[in-house]
Amino acid sequence: MEVLGEIDEATLRGRCERKEFFWLDLVSPSDDDVRRLGEILGLHPLAVQDTLAFGQRPKLDVYGQQALLVVHGGVDAEPEEDNPHPLEEIHCYISGDFVVTVRRNEFRDLDRLKGQLTSTGSTRSEQYYVYRIIDTIVDSYFPILSGLDDEINDLEDAIVDRPRKDELLKIFKLKRLLLKLRKAVAPMRDLFAREIETIADLAGLDKDSHDYFRDVYDHLIRITDLLDSYHDLVSGCTDLYLSNVANRQGEVGKQLTIVASVFLPLSFLTGFFGMNFNWISGNLLHGAVAFWLFGVGSMVVSAATMWAWFRHKGWIGED
């Protein structure tokens, strides 16, 4: 199978006439290029209109012996929660004579696949090549999920160590990213569960095995399950954050309460001595020894007694 990267009318018409299967991969074509491609390959006007507009949800539209499959691939980035472009919409025109992929941006996974198919001289069925393209797009989510797994683990460690507003902001970003990914993957999973065999039954496609597309469906189920589990983990991070913040606030409140409790009898003693200073200085406190013994000593004994009582109750010391 030959892999093409631009619209050459003579080449495309010649291959269609000779029934030589090819893959045409277009990156950010103009509207005129898309319309010209539709005229050359005889694409349905509604399918061409979808590609001109983009912004389509995953779907499969069959027009006679051709089909338009809209799928969303995953774009890996570091860190994932700050990825401004996590999804790449790809339109796949499939028939017995060709497969055409149209996208707005570079997609490294398809670029690598083109290199692999170009360097490989073996000949396989048309259905196999269609499967490889779709499977490559679907498998592009796995590097994203691997990165999310590491980031969620780091987030949990950071929250346990010291919860800050940065962690809370990261939680919200991860939730939005996971929701965006699931909105793309769940329709693809449902699509492959119901209608993907339609591609295998298109006229002109040499059939290898329907197991190819069932394998893609299995991958989509795995991706959906991982997204659901990561969403639960991120929600758990929210609960962990709030719990740690509440615990730290309780710890601060406990420390302030202990300090206030220690100073409560000290305030009473200083107030008592202050109100009766004339009598005490004339009848009780004579000299430095009496001052240190009754004046300062009573406050030290009071504070030590309160501290010993708190340790006995387990309010201070080891958890």
Side-chain angles (χ1 to χ4, degrees):
M1 182 191 71
E2 185 175 356
V3 180
L4 306 176
E6 58 183 15
I7 301 175
D8 186 319
E9 184 172 353
T11 301
L12 297 179
R13 291 189 183 279
R15 285 192 165 275
C16 288
E17 291 174 358
R18 295 190 299 271
K19 301 295 182 181
E20 296 178 356
F21 192 80
F22 63 89
W23 173 20
L24 173 62
D25 182 45
L26 297 178
V27 181
S28 190
S30 65
D31 291 349
D32 292 337
D33 289 337
V34 174
R35 294 189 184 96
R36 187 158 64 95
L37 178 67
E39 294 175 359
I40 296 173
L41 300 181
L43 303 178
H44 196 278
L46 291 178
V48 174
Q49 187 63 36
D50 286 342
T51 301
L52 290 174
F54 258 68
Q56 307 292 319
R57 71 188 305 272
K59 65 176 183 176
L60 175 63
D61 292 333
V62 179
Y63 304 99
Q65 297 181 358
Q66 298 178 358
L68 169 62
L69 175 66
V70 178
V71 290
H72 290 237
V75 180
D76 190 20
E78 183 67 33
E80 291 296 346
E81 76 272 7
D82 291 331
N83 189 354
H85 183 66
L87 296 172
E88 180 64 35
E89 182 179 339
I90 302 172
H91 291 206
C92 303
Y93 291 92
I94 303 170
S95 77
D97 297 329
F98 57 81
V99 55
V100 178
T101 53
V102 183
R103 46 198 167 102
R104 291 285 178 85
N105 302 289
E106 294 292 335
F107 193 68
R108 289 175 296 179
D109 298 80
L110 283 184
D111 293 336
R112 283 194 293 266
L113 178 62
K114 287 193 295 184
Q116 294 172 3
L117 295 181
T118 302
S119 61
T120 302
S122 60
T123 303
R124 304 293 293 270
S125 68
E126 290 95 339
Q127 189 181 107
Y128 171 79
Y129 292 118
V130 174
Y131 153 75
R132 285 294 305 275
I133 294 171
I134 298 174
D135 183 63
T136 298
I137 297 172
V138 170
D139 287 351
S140 63
Y141 287 93
F142 286 111
I144 299 178
L145 295 175
S146 178
L148 286 173
D149 189 20
D150 295 336
E151 290 183 24
I152 292 174
N153 289 334
D154 294 340
L155 178 61
E156 290 175 337
D157 294 338
I159 292 175
V160 171
D161 181 53
R162 183 177 179 83
R164 295 172 298 180
K165 289 185 178 180
D166 291 343
E167 277 73 39
L168 188 60
L169 179 62
K170 191 172 183 178
I171 289 173
F172 292 148
K173 288 183 177 180
L174 285 173
K175 279 188 174 182
R176 287 194 292 267
L177 175 61
L178 289 169
L179 181 60
K180 186 179 295 185
L181 293 176
R182 201 184 190 289
K183 283 184 177 180
V185 174
M188 291 168 57
R189 178 200 60 192
D190 298 339
L191 172 66
F192 275 71
R194 297 191 312 267
E195 305 178 19
I196 200 59
E197 296 297 338
T198 305
I199 295 179
D201 295 331
L202 286 176
L205 278 181
D206 288 342
K207 296 176 176 56
D208 237 349
S209 172
H210 285 211
D211 294 337
Y212 284 140
F213 298 113
R214 282 196 292 270
D215 177 69
V216 176
Y217 175 61
D218 291 339
H219 289 186
L220 287 169
I221 292 178
R222 286 177 53 198
I223 293 170
T224 306
D225 291 342
L226 286 173
L227 287 174
D228 290 339
S229 64
Y230 289 159
H231 185 272
D232 293 339
L233 287 174
V234 173
S235 298
C237 287
T238 305
D239 297 336
L240 180 62
Y241 177 88
L242 296 176
S243 176
N244 272 15
V245 169
N247 288 340
R248 286 183 175 273
Q249 289 177 344
E251 186 68 24
V252 172
K254 184 180 74 172
Q255 294 172 358
L256 294 176
T257 302
I258 290 174
V259 172
S261 299
V262 170
F263 274 89
L264 181 62
L266 300 182
S267 301
F268 168 76
L269 291 173
T270 55
F272 176 78
F273 282 113
M275 293 175 63
N276 302 278
F277 178 77
N278 289 334
W279 184 88
I280 294 174
S281 61
N283 298 277
L284 184 60
L285 298 180
H286 297 286
V289 175
F291 170 78
W292 288 104
L293 181 62
F294 292 102
V296 178
S298 62
M299 290 189 289
V300 171
V301 170
S302 173
T305 302
M306 294 291 292
W307 193 265
W309 174 253
F310 291 151
R311 289 189 63 88
H312 173 70
K313 299 294 290 184
W315 297 341
I316 59 175
E318 297 182 359
D319 293 337

